[in-house]
Amino acid sequence: MKKPFPFEKCGREMNHDEARVWVDAYRKQCETQTKPVHAEAFSKELLLKILADDDCTGIRIYHGHCEGEPRLLLVGMNKQGNDRHRAPRGLKDDMPDNGAQTGIYGDGARCPDQCDQSN
């Protein structure tokens, strides 16, 4: 029997040099893009809103595209690794489509358009 993944402990703090290698490798890959996106920022208020759910033990970040440009989507995650925005049965058809709160967050401030470009 496969041991469950400890989603409440996923991720780690990285040292600066290792993180710089990752960022530099990504940016090198982006050099051929007309309008590269290096990062996307989200406010503390938004992050705390996601984490305020008692069953939320972390945040999952999805990669997406909007109008041909890369974007990030954030959703709360429970300790089993399930997205909190899904109904208890986990059916995508149960997602609200009437403008109700979904628990899905996006549209952050993108870099280099909206950031200190010295990063």
Side-chain angles (χ1 to χ4, degrees):
M1 182 174 186
K2 188 175 180 182
K3 184 178 178 181
F5 187 83
F7 285 100
E8 69 275 8
K9 301 209 186 269
C10 63
R12 65 182 170 90
E13 185 171 4
M14 298 175 71
N15 70 50
H16 182 270
D17 292 340
E18 182 181 17
R20 187 81 251 167
V21 167
W22 287 26
V23 168
D24 289 345
Y26 176 79
R27 289 186 179 177
K28 183 173 179 155
Q29 177 185 345
C30 291
E31 286 176 355
T32 61
Q33 297 175 352
T34 305
K35 189 176 176 187
V37 176
H38 298 162
E40 196 162 342
F42 295 90
S43 70
K44 178 179 179 177
E45 178 183 345
L46 186 135
L47 297 174
L48 291 174
K49 185 174 183 177
I50 296 171
L51 295 170
D53 183 334
D54 289 339
D55 195 32
C56 182
T57 61
I59 296 174
R60 176 171 281 124
I61 302 172
Y62 285 94
H63 298 269
H65 271 92
C66 179
E67 298 177 3
E69 296 188 6
R71 298 308 306 252
L72 297 177
L73 299 164
L74 283 62
V75 298
M77 180 180 71
N78 67 17
K79 66 182 178 182
Q80 292 81 28
N82 298 319
D83 294 346
R84 294 293 304 137
H85 72 276
R86 298 196 184 274
R89 292 178 291 166
L91 301 175
K92 65 180 171 98
D93 296 335
D94 289 336
M95 289 289 296
D97 59 1
N98 58 0
Q101 290 185 341
T102 63
I104 303 169
Y105 300 89
D107 216 16
R110 296 179 342 146
C111 184
D113 296 337
Q114 299 168 310
C115 71
D116 174 3
Q117 294 193 27
S118 65
N119 292 329

